[in-house]
């Protein structure tokens, strides 16, 4: 318990018996520490500057960013990696709004985080009398997160923080907003009463045990399958039930397909991994078991051409209303993934459904063919470098350093890296997630380094990097073991587009042959310009061995790359444009 010594209070605040006092600042810090929070990600300013100082003084790690969106992304991915809500701290109105993108993205991705924003005075805001940074932040946050709370009195801080934590991590995890008006920070109360008002949340994310009946239904369906498939999503990675999931997959012998951030729960090189036969298994499977993956756009909503004929779905998810969101779920299995998978393993003891051999062979043949086709492209030494040559080098880096964390965003840089770079361990691949959002790069990389202490490799398209690039100063300031590789093809999708109308560049172009490596040098980090796969690999190896903040500018052929990467079909194109 932190308290303000009575002699530090103004005379009017000193009670007669000189009892110890505390205030809003200290109660918030105490409440967070009591609940195991160790790190706060944020940007200082009114009214939270002193709060950050005090938090540091009280032993919390405070990582200060250059823009709130990246602090928010850091908090979100910290939540994903640790199963405890990441904390993002911002100033009022504009800072709050900057953090909101990350809060909404966290909620969409089921990452637990708490956005704590200072706010202006309620009385003035509600009467719209023009306060400094006036904004009804609570109302604005509400539709964009799982829950939103405001604390007006120091004695309610304990409850406010407890509710925020429980809302973020219980059930389907998500973002929570906690509104703290400026006046709250300075409110003084009796220290002992303050201490008693704090709550250590007991069992914040209780196990949710599935009904026996639904486990049996799922196993029956699985047993009846001729061409079964398991799809692992990032909910499965989040659940940290790695051993149970691995046992289930291996016991059943069923081919599995990892969604992007689920790569590595089982290694991509596992004999049952169907990643290289994705089209085939989606189309040909008859029973599909989803574990912590939603049938959203990333899986073509579970219907249409990529899915071929009729399927029956088993869905394992903590959120009951996720079922039937796109297609009928024949066997819904509602509960936390650890409990559900363990219950299935228990049920399999007596009767293991072995996946049919012809199906396994068909998947294997397709997979081997595709891998063999890709191999020479990854070894290419084209000059200028293309995506495949560069990614072939980085693929080897991760193979040799399976414990490193890979952050990845871009268009072509994302789509190709996802397919090419094998992952070997769970929760090592962090990327653009459910929205395919650009701008997560440096925030994710920073939190990954801070939370795990492992080396981080961020593979960034030159466009994607631009959204969070200024945070390389943060990386250098905290001396984090982050190596950023920019796939620099001088533009969005490509660097060869032309505007025929004026001397302005095409709006998808950047300055040709930019030297992003020099940005890193400006902050004392290591900058390297790499023009061949060999130079690239050497630079990344050196960075990862040394742990020094490094940025490698990988010069990619400007003509390499396709419009919108692999999702060009989502980008409407006019048929009339060339008159
Ligand atoms: P991906 O993008 O990898 O397919 P999604 O984000 O679409 O993954 O799906 C993740 C799913 O996992 C969500 O529906 C979420 O409710 C679920 N989920 C998250 N954590 C758990 C958990 N501990 N137990 C069960 N389901 C979970
Ligand atoms: Mg580019």
């Amino acid at each position: 318990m932190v308290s303000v010594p009575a002699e530090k209070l103004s005379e009017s605040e000193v009670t007669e018996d000189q009892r110890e006092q505390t205030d809003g600042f200290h109660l918030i810090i105490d409440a967070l520490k009591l609940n195991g929070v160790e790190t706060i990600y944020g940007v200082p300013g009114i009214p939270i500057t002193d709060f950050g100082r005090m938090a540091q003084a009280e032993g919390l790690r405070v990582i200060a960013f250059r823009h709130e969106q990246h602090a928010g992304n850091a908090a979100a991915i910290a939540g994903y990696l640790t199963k405890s809500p990441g904390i993002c701290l911002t100033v009022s109105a504009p800072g709050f709004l900057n953090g909101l993108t990350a809060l909404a993205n966290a909620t969409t991705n089921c990452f637990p985080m708490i956005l704590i924003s200072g706010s202006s005075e309620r009385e003035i805001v509600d009467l719209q009398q023009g306060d400094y940074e006036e904004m009804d932040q609570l109302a604005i946050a509400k539709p964009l997160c799982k829950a939103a709370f405001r604390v007006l009195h120091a004695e309610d801080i304990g409850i406010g923080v407890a509710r925020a934590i429980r809302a973020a991590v219980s059930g389907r995890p998500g973002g929570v907003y906690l509104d703290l008006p400026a006046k709250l920070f300075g409110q003084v109360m009796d220290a002992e009463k303050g201490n008693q008002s704090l709550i250590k949340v007991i069992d914040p994310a209780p196990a949710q045990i599935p009904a026996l009946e639904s486990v049996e239904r799922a196993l029956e369906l699985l047993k009846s399958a001729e061409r079964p498939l398991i799809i692992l999503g990032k909910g499965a990675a989040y659940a940290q039930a790695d051993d149970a999931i691995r046992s289930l997959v291996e016991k059943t012998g069923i081919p599995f397909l990892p969604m992007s951030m689920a790569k590595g729960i089982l290694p991509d090189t596992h004999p049952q991994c169907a990643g290289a036969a994705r089209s085939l298994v989606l189309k040909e499977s008859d029973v599909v078991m989803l574990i912590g993956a939603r049938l959203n756009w990333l899986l073509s909503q579970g219907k249409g051409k990529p899915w071929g004929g009729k399927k029956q779905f088993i869905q394992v998810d903590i959120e009951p209303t996720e079922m039937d969101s796109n297609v009928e779920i024949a066997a819904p299995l509602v509960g936390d993934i650890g409990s559900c998978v363990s219950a299935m393993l228990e049920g399999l003891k007596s009767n293991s459904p072995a996946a049919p051999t012809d199906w396994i062979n068909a998947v294997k043949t397709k997979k081997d063919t595709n891998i063999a086709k890709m191999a020479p492209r990854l070894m290419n030494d084209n000059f200028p470098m293309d995506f495949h040559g560069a990614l072939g080098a980085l693929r080897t880096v991760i193979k040799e350093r399976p414990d490193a964390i890979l952050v990845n965003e871009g268009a072509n840089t994302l789509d190709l890296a996802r397919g090419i770079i094998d992952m070997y361990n769970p929760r090592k691949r962090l990327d653009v997630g459910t929205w395919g959002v650009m701008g997560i790069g440096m925030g994710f990389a920073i939190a990954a380094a801070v939370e795990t202490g492992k080396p981080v490799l961020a593979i960034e398209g030159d466009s994607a990097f631009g959204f969070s690039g200024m945070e390389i100063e943060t990386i250098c300031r905290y001396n984090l073991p982050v190596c950023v590789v920019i796939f620099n093809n001088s533009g969005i999708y490509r660097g060869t587009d032309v505007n025929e109308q004026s001397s302005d560049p095409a709006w998808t172009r950047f300055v040709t042959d930019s030297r992003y490596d020099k940005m890193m040098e400006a902050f004392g980090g290591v900058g390297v310009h790499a023009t061949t796969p060999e130079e690239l690999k050497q630079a990344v190896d050196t960075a990862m061995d040394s742990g020094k903040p490094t940025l490698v500018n990988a010069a990619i052929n400007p003509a390499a790359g396709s419009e919108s990467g692999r999702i060009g079909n989502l980008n409407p194109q006019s048929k009339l444009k060339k008159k």
Side-chain angles (χ1 to χ4, degrees), residues 461-463 487 489-494:
D462 52 347
S463 161
F487 275 38
N489 63 353
S490 302
I492 302 175
Y493 312 131
R494 279 178 304 263

Side-chain angles (χ1 to χ4, degrees), residues 27-367:
L27 285 166
I28 299 161
I29 293 166
D30 291 342
L32 293 174
K33 282 176 68 174
L34 182 65
N35 283 289
V37 172
E38 290 173 357
T39 307
I40 294 175
Y41 301 92
V43 178
I46 297 171
I48 54 156
T49 310
D50 229 18
F51 176 81
R53 283 194 192 106
M54 292 183 194
Q56 261 186 326
E58 296 302 331
L60 283 168
R61 188 153 197 217
V62 183
I63 307 287
F65 283 69
R66 304 300 292 263
H67 188 287
E68 292 85 354
Q69 188 174 316
H70 313 308
N73 284 328
I77 211 67
Y80 170 75
L81 289 169
T82 63
K83 289 184 99 174
S84 317
I87 308 289
C88 175
L89 182 65
T90 81
V91 303
S92 40
F96 155 78
L97 287 172
N98 286 344
L100 212 48
T101 306
L103 183 70
N105 189 54
T107 307
T108 299
N109 281 282
C110 315
F111 300 156
M113 76 171 276
I114 303 173
L115 175 68
I116 303 179
S117 296
S119 60
S120 306
E121 295 320 325
R122 285 255 37 87
E123 296 81 352
I124 304 180
V125 171
D126 288 351
L127 275 170
Q128 298 176 31
Q129 293 175 309
D131 202 2
Y132 167 74
E133 297 193 344
E134 177 178 298
M135 176 173 272
D136 187 357
Q137 296 171 195
L138 187 73
I140 289 167
K142 256 180 198 166
L144 298 173
C145 58
K146 221 183 136 182
F149 306 102
R150 176 188 289 133
V151 183
L152 292 176
H153 305 292
E155 61 265 34
D156 292 332
I157 286 171
I159 294 283
V161 169
R163 298 214 70 191
I165 290 172
R166 203 177 274 286
V169 291
S170 61
R172 170 183 277 175
V176 174
Y177 175 61
L178 188 60
D179 192 80
L180 304 182
K183 260 192 213 160
L184 177 76
F185 293 93
Q187 276 181 33
V188 172
M189 72 181 285
D190 177 81
E192 201 182 309
K193 281 199 186 126
N195 195 15
Q196 284 161 3
S197 73
L198 300 183
I199 291 176
K200 181 167 168 47
V201 181
I202 297 164
D203 197 9
Q208 291 187 214
I209 313 289
L212 189 59
E213 194 189 327
S214 56
V215 177
E216 282 167 359
R217 189 187 296 119
L219 288 177
E220 274 313 305
L221 185 50
L222 210 53
K223 255 184 266 178
S224 73
E226 282 169 20
R227 296 177 307 281
L229 172 67
I230 293 174
I231 297 182
L232 300 173
K234 61 180 169 307
Y238 175 82
Q240 298 194 14
D242 311 329
D243 292 344
I245 292 171
R246 190 179 184 125
S247 299
L248 181 71
V249 170
E250 290 182 343
K251 253 202 182 132
T252 58
I254 297 172
F256 71 93
L257 191 63
M259 299 299 288
S260 189
M261 284 177 59
K263 278 161 71 82
I265 297 176
L266 287 93
D268 285 330
T269 49
H270 191 282
Q272 284 168 258
C273 181
R278 188 176 194 273
S279 310
L280 175 105
V281 291
L282 288 187
K283 195 172 263 162
E284 303 292 332
S285 54
D286 62 348
V287 172
V288 179
M289 178 156 74
L290 301 153
I291 305 182
R294 286 170 286 185
L295 282 174
N296 55 19
W297 70 283
L298 289 159
L299 284 169
S300 312
Q301 269 87 19
K303 52 200 168 191
K305 217 167 148 201
W307 286 93
K310 172 123 178 74
K311 315 267 151 186
Q312 287 190 290
F313 287 99
I314 301 164
Q315 184 159 24
V316 182
D317 205 290
I318 203 157
E319 178 58 58
T321 58
E322 184 57 37
M323 307 300 158
D324 308 324
S325 56
N326 284 283
V327 296
E328 180 194 83
I329 300 300
L333 190 47
V334 176
D336 75 274
I337 285 166
S339 302
C340 290
V341 171
S342 300
M344 277 192 279
L345 280 170
E346 193 61 32
L348 283 176
K349 267 188 187 158
S350 45
N351 197 343
S352 260
T357 326
D358 339 346
W359 172 235
I360 291 177
N361 290 341
V363 176
K364 186 176 180 315
T365 308
K366 183 73 189 175
K367 178 176 145 177

